Amino acid sequence: MTIPEMSSAGLARLRDQTDYLRLLAARVTGGAANQMLMVALGWQMYDLTGSAWDLGLVGLAQFLPALLLTLPAGHVVDQHDRRLLLAASLGLQLLTAACLALASGGGWVGANLILGLSIVLGCARALQMPAQQALMPSLVPAELLPRAVATSSSTMQAAIIAGPALGGVLYALGPWAAGRIAHGTTAAAAAHWGAALVYGVSLLLLVCAVVAVLTIRHRPAQARRAAPGLAQLTAGIRFIWQRPVVLGAISLDLFAVLLGGATALLPIFAKDILHTGPEGLGLLRSAPALGAVVVGVWLSRRPIKRRAGHWLLGAVAVFGLAMIAFALTTSFVVAFIVLAVSGAADMVSVVIRQSLVQLETPDDMRGRVGAVNSVFIGASNQLGEFESGATAALLGPVGSVLLGGIGVLAVVALWFRLFPALAQRDSLQPRPG
């Protein structure tokens, strides 16, 4: 059988996994909703306060509850129905979107409310990520897992392209909608109408995500019920610590995104450096996903078979270079392109990292290992947003992103030496037995 025929056969088998497709639908709709929420929260907070520090606090408010709750959530995921837990986390995000829509439309939204509801979102994410990660491997055969991860990631990135772009356009429609519905509305109030519209559409998408999860029929066997003692809660940490390949892959992503992420500062770059509006912000947030979906589609058809460790470290280095280029440009087009390149590089990293973690983890440990992985991802994203806001308050947005990109390159060089087993990892196929 030729390589193209093997690729087509693998994709056909993947399309036959009905429950996996339902989970994929939930990830897409829920992911698009989450991205729309982030666009509206960021722009609305910057409109209300004009502060880079406050933008960083939005990320910190989401990270802290995730840090505190994720390990207990991982234990719960290994003990109970993962479908219902995932549906519950999406439902909590649905209620948050509803509250934000009412507050924005009613004109009583404020910075403290945004921060408070960001904490709620962090709580929901603490449960969502380990449940989602633990559920997927049980829905596909092990030999299809790398392809399933690539397909899932690229499809998710397609939602991340559409979500921020749609969110930015809807937000920009706020003044027009306010003028048509309520004459005499002030400019500040009209802007909040745009936020309310974004939150309302996010709510509808989250309803679709909950329904998709609840229609998954496969119920993996749960581990024997056990009290959540310290040994149970920390089992995932011990498991990862004893496996240098997994530890190296997860920690590499942590430090790369923690240092190199610029998401929290995009409202500042869009408004003050690239001189665009919320629709431009939506496009900038979509750019990394555009690059990621192109690479994800390619990887779903041509999975990485050799030199996985070198591909992983090289991709993270490209991500760092893209962040340096983004920091130095004042052109919207160039900024969009380098952000797309950063997303393409990140997709390579995501597929390799997730495949390694899932292939190295037994099913009865996936919730707890996924929980630790979620803490790392949350730290790199939400805590990274706080780090970006804090350093931008000291160095300015350009200095913050530039320093972060340089830091990413330093981390890659260091990880080559600290984790030789990761650098030398060759295959992404399940090990015999």
Side-chain angles (χ1 to χ4, degrees):
M1 183 180 289
T2 65
I3 291 178
E5 289 171 339
M6 292 173 64
S7 174
S8 299
L11 288 175
R13 286 188 63 197
L14 199 58
R15 287 193 293 267
D16 291 336
Q17 312 301 316
T18 307
D19 286 332
Y20 166 76
L21 296 179
R22 292 187 174 113
L23 178 62
L24 197 60
R27 289 199 65 193
V28 169
T29 51
N34 186 265
Q35 290 298 312
M36 292 174 68
L37 286 173
M38 293 305 101
V39 168
L41 284 173
W43 193 272
Q44 194 170 36
M45 177 64 89
Y46 196 55
D47 258 351
L48 288 168
T49 69
S51 168
W53 174 261
D54 287 333
L55 283 175
L57 287 179
V58 173
L60 183 64
Q62 293 183 54
F63 170 69
L64 289 179
L67 177 64
L68 296 173
L69 299 176
T70 297
L71 291 183
H75 175 78
V76 171
V77 166
D78 279 337
Q79 301 290 312
H80 299 281
D81 191 326
R82 294 162 180 172
R83 302 171 312 114
L84 297 180
L85 294 174
L86 179 55
S89 69
L90 291 168
L92 187 56
Q93 294 174 61
L94 187 158
L95 294 175
T96 303
C99 185
L100 285 166
L102 291 172
S104 297
W108 43 276
V109 68
N112 289 334
L113 178 65
I114 290 176
L115 289 175
L117 291 176
S118 293
I119 293 174
V120 177
L121 287 174
C123 294
R125 296 284 289 174
L127 183 60
Q128 178 185 358
M129 296 186 70
Q132 195 167 263
Q133 290 180 27
L135 184 58
M136 187 177 71
S138 65
L139 304 181
V140 296
E143 65 272 15
L144 290 181
L145 186 60
R147 195 185 301 272
V149 170
T151 302
S152 177
S153 298
S154 60
T155 307
M156 180 67 181
Q157 294 299 331
I160 297 174
I161 294 172
L166 178 59
V169 170
L170 291 174
Y171 202 117
L173 288 175
W176 176 84
R180 298 281 293 184
I181 298 172
H183 298 289
T185 305
T186 65
H192 294 315
W193 277 57
L197 187 57
V198 177
Y199 298 138
V201 174
S202 299
L203 188 156
L204 294 176
L205 289 172
L206 286 164
V207 169
C208 295
V210 171
V211 171
V213 170
L214 293 177
T215 58
I216 294 174
R217 293 170 296 182
H218 178 65
R219 300 189 181 204
Q222 275 79 51
R224 181 175 58 85
R225 296 288 174 87
L230 183 61
Q232 291 289 332
L233 295 179
T234 60
I237 297 175
R238 295 196 306 273
F239 182 91
I240 291 173
W241 185 260
Q242 295 166 1
R243 288 158 178 79
V245 170
V246 177
L247 177 63
I250 293 177
S251 58
L252 176 65
D253 178 77
L254 165 67
F255 285 103
V257 180
L258 176 64
L259 295 172
T263 303
L265 302 180
L266 286 181
I268 301 176
F269 275 88
K271 194 170 188 178
D272 299 337
I273 297 175
L274 302 176
H275 306 294
T276 184
E279 67 281 5
L281 171 62
L283 289 174
L284 290 175
R285 286 192 66 112
S286 297
L290 178 62
V293 73
V294 172
V295 171
V297 169
W298 173 262
L299 291 176
S300 69
R301 294 180 173 275
R302 300 288 187 272
I304 293 172
K305 298 182 181 297
R306 304 293 304 275
R307 298 172 63 85
H310 282 81
W311 274 102
L312 175 61
L313 290 160
V316 175
V318 171
F319 176 82
L321 292 171
M323 289 299 97
I324 292 173
F326 176 74
L328 297 176
T329 187
T330 57
S331 164
F332 181 87
V333 174
V334 174
F336 184 89
I337 291 172
V338 295
L339 285 175
V341 171
S342 76
D346 187 55
M347 173 57 75
V348 176
S349 170
V350 165
V351 170
I352 295 174
R353 172 172 51 81
Q354 290 188 2
S355 297
L356 285 174
V357 172
Q358 300 292 6
L359 290 171
E360 297 282 329
T361 307
D363 185 67
D364 63 349
M365 284 290 297
R366 284 197 170 113
R368 283 163 286 180
V369 171
V372 178
N373 192 28
S374 298
V375 171
F376 278 70
I377 294 172
S380 64
N381 291 322
Q382 280 79 48
L383 189 58
E385 291 182 11
F386 174 70
E387 179 271 337
S388 296
T391 55
L394 296 173
L395 305 175
V398 173
S400 173
V401 177
L402 181 61
L403 182 63
I406 295 171
V408 170
L409 297 180
V411 166
V412 171
L414 183 60
W415 257 237
F416 258 109
R417 296 181 61 86
L418 292 179
F419 297 96
L422 175 64
Q424 296 164 13
R425 178 67 182 243
D426 189 45
S427 172
L428 284 180
Q429 295 301 312
R431 295 182 176 181

